[in-house]
Amino acid sequence: LDLSLPHKVADLSQADFGGKEMQLSEREMPGLMECIRKYGSQKPLQGLKVMGSLHMTIQTAMLIKTLHALGADIRWASCNIFSTQDHAAAAVVEQGLAKVFAWKGETLEDYWWCTEMALTWPDGSGPDLIVDDGGDATLLIHKGVEAENDPSILEQKTDNKEFQCVLDRLALRLKEDPRHWHKVAAGMKGVSEETTTGVHRLYQLEKEGKLLFPAINVNDSVTKSKFDNLYGCRESLADGIKRATDIMVAGKVVVICGYGDVGKGCAQSMRGFGARVLVTEIDPICALQAAMEGYEVTTVEDALPLGDIYVTCTGNYHVITGAHMEGMKDEAIVCNIGHFDNEIDMNYLENTPGVSRLNIKPQVDKWTLKSGRSILILAEGRLVNLGCATGHASFVMSNSFTNQTLAQIKLAKENLEKKVYTLPKELDEEVARLHLGRLGAKLTKLTPEQADYIGVQVEGPYKAEMYRY
Ligand code: NAI
């Protein structure tokens, strides 16, 4: 690592454009603007080093601006090789908000280099706090500690290109300082995690007793997963598919794999365009929900003769296999909106003799299969809304990122244990409240008698913990 490097972005001349788009997003991000107004003078993050591993978009630039206003010293990387908006990265650097290491179209080697650069301050120290999305920054620290305890794990052979990059980085680091990641982990006040997949990883670490620092699960704030995952994807899925292919969605058969928060938004979106939507699920509750919304619930195998567009939204592994792709209609479109690219078996396409790739444009490839038919793969199987479009709109991200900001303040202020926490319901309700005004919504106020009758306080919280929204 060259720690004298102040930042690495694609093109600083785009900073002005990025700055203008940041300014335009202010009205749409009332939660973040209120955080700046409320906490800007108290500076609860003063003197703290914050590292971010989260899609470097305009919306994220506004989160960075907020954390900077709260006093943080920030370094940032993206959490996906295709999701950076280069003008956003340039604006953040130019405005002196953070040191950014991110550009659109990184290689996997670049990606892990950027992650490690963002995790390492010029004096060699690590961050106090991490804003993670998908858990890659957290993973690098945990794997680093594991490798320092048992260097033999670095010898393991893996076909997973991405994991190999992690092992290579750790091997380099181990030579320089055999206790580096131990020191980084020991210095950490905590991480706040943005997404379902990253949160799964955190609960797994906690369960195995391996979690090295406190964590806040931001995803499961109601004002995050029931908004960003649902309404965010309801708009940005179509944006990704349209920008990539210009396909007419109306009348097509769209297969949505997984009917969780993301799947629900994606299914509704495609139906809204006039598609016939089929849903696949493993969970009978979600399958029943889909059926009662009027979607046909079936399996990928049974959908193969019908599907024109496939969207994976499961956070699971190999939901679309090589055999599935071989069985699809000619020029079917296949994309993923879940966090990692292994929902589609990209390995099958890349490593099967007789399967060939024709690049149409960046992030759009036509793969010819052994069947003689072809399919279109978007964003190389990575999240289509961020790879082929610009991710979610500012308004919904303001909800998510207000939760992130409150989580960072909580981690900074409180000495939490090495567990996974969620934010209290009062804060969740507050995040929602901050976003009502922009939409002209009028909230009804409980009378004291009514509050008493339903057993809550006039000022909330209004629901019990088990309420599911
Ligand atoms: P979720 O847990 O609510 O939903 C996933 C659903 O997939 C579950 O209902 C599960 O039963 C189902 N599922 C699992 N394996 C399956 C299989 N083999 N076939 C069919 N269904 C299966 O999770 P959520 O919040 O909907 O997130 C899904 C993924 O999307 C995660 O990886 C998450 O990190 C990511 N995400 C992506 C966003 C984006 O902007 N691209 C935004 C938010 C989340």
Side-chain angles (χ1 to χ4, degrees), residues 9 38 45 57 93-94 180 190 270 274 279 319 384 415 426 440:
V9 299
K38 188 163 168 190
L45 303 180
T57 61
V93 168
E94 197 80 342
H180 173 74
M270 294 293 103
V279 168
V319 173
V384 63
N415 262 328
E426 288 87 331

Side-chain angles (χ1 to χ4, degrees), residues 195-197 229 260-262 281 286 314-316 337-339 385 392:
T195 198
T196 317
T197 288
N229 305 25
D261 292 318
V262 170
E281 251 298 342
C286 299
T314 67
N316 204 345
I337 196 166
H339 191 79
N385 58 337
H392 295 348

Side-chain angles (χ1 to χ4, degrees), residues 2 25 57 70 96 150 307 416 465:
D2 177 3
S25 75
T57 61
L70 271 51
D150 175 10
L416 299 175
E465 271 317 311

Side-chain angles (χ1 to χ4, degrees), residues 31-46 66-72 402 405-407 409-410 413 427 430 434:
L32 286 185
M33 300 318 285
E34 177 62 16
C35 286
I36 294 179
R37 200 194 58 73
K38 188 163 168 190
Y39 301 110
S41 53
Q42 300 168 18
K43 303 234 177 292
L45 303 180
Q46 190 71 48
T66 307
L67 299 173
H68 180 262
L70 271 51
T402 304
T405 305
L406 295 173
I409 296 174
K410 186 176 170 71
K413 255 200 335 218
L427 293 182
E430 185 56 24
L434 291 175

Side-chain angles (χ1 to χ4, degrees), residues 55 133 195-198 200 219 224-225 228-229 233 236 257-263 280-283 286 313-317 319 337-340 343 383-386 392:
H55 310 292
D133 183 347
T195 198
T196 317
T197 288
H200 281 162
N219 183 66
K224 199 284 179 181
S225 50
D228 166 324
N229 305 25
C233 292
S236 62
C257 303
Y259 196 70
D261 292 318
V262 170
T280 76
E281 251 298 342
I282 49 144
D283 179 335
C286 299
C313 339
T314 67
N316 204 345
Y317 173 80
V319 173
I337 196 166
H339 191 79
F340 286 120
E343 298 204 26
L383 8 81
V384 63
N385 58 337
L386 283 138
H392 295 348

